[in-house]
Amino acid sequence: MKLSPLGLSSVMLGPAVVTPVAKRAVTDADTFNYALTLEHLEATFYEQGLKNYSHEGFAQAGFPNPFYANLQQVASDEKMHEEFLQQALSAASANPVERCTYVFPSTDVKSFLTVASVLEEYS
């Protein structure tokens, strides 16, 4: 009698026993912490970008007024979202997730805006 490798493993191990994976309920705090994680990402991105690239840098890259001021407003909005979620989680006696350390692949104004478009599209 010739056994295939699969047949041999079945003989050696016996029949497979399948047990269901325990489901974990997703709580409101989980959902808000997920949203907070995204807000941390975006707030950090805009903070770093506005620190690294000046109004003059955007103007030299061909972006007219009030483009830089609009980015500052976006950065402020992301920070407000972040603070709101942190306060809401704390008020609900849940622990807000902390910011991570992020490294964004932008080396100039145009690559910064490329990353911004990806973040805004998928977050």
Side-chain angles (χ1 to χ4, degrees):
M1 171 183 201
K2 211 170 191 191
L3 292 174
S4 69
L6 180 59
L8 183 58
S9 66
S10 296
V11 170
M12 291 172 46
L13 299 174
V17 178
V18 178
T19 57
V21 175
K23 288 187 178 181
R24 179 179 166 264
V26 176
T27 66
D28 289 342
D30 293 331
T31 302
F32 282 107
N33 266 316
Y34 176 72
L36 178 56
T37 300
L38 295 175
E39 295 302 337
H40 283 323
L41 176 74
E42 291 175 327
T44 304
F45 173 75
Y46 286 105
E47 284 173 13
Q48 288 179 9
L50 293 175
K51 192 181 299 179
N52 293 332
Y53 310 112
S54 66
H55 181 269
E56 183 180 307
F58 278 88
Q60 289 174 352
F63 296 94
N65 281 330
F67 195 86
Y68 190 79
N70 291 343
L71 286 175
Q72 290 175 312
Q73 184 60 53
V74 171
S76 176
D77 291 349
E78 297 300 350
K79 183 70 176 161
M80 283 186 344
H81 299 162
E82 184 181 44
E83 290 170 356
F84 171 80
L85 288 168
Q86 288 171 322
Q87 291 169 1
L89 283 158
S90 293
S93 299
N95 293 323
V97 294
E98 297 291 325
R99 273 190 182 189
C100 297
T101 300
Y102 304 101
V103 178
F104 300 103
S106 66
T107 55
D108 57 21
V109 167
K110 290 188 178 183
S111 63
F112 168 77
L113 293 174
T114 298
V115 175
S117 69
V118 171
L119 287 178
E120 295 298 338
E121 178 73 23
Y122 296 105
S123 61

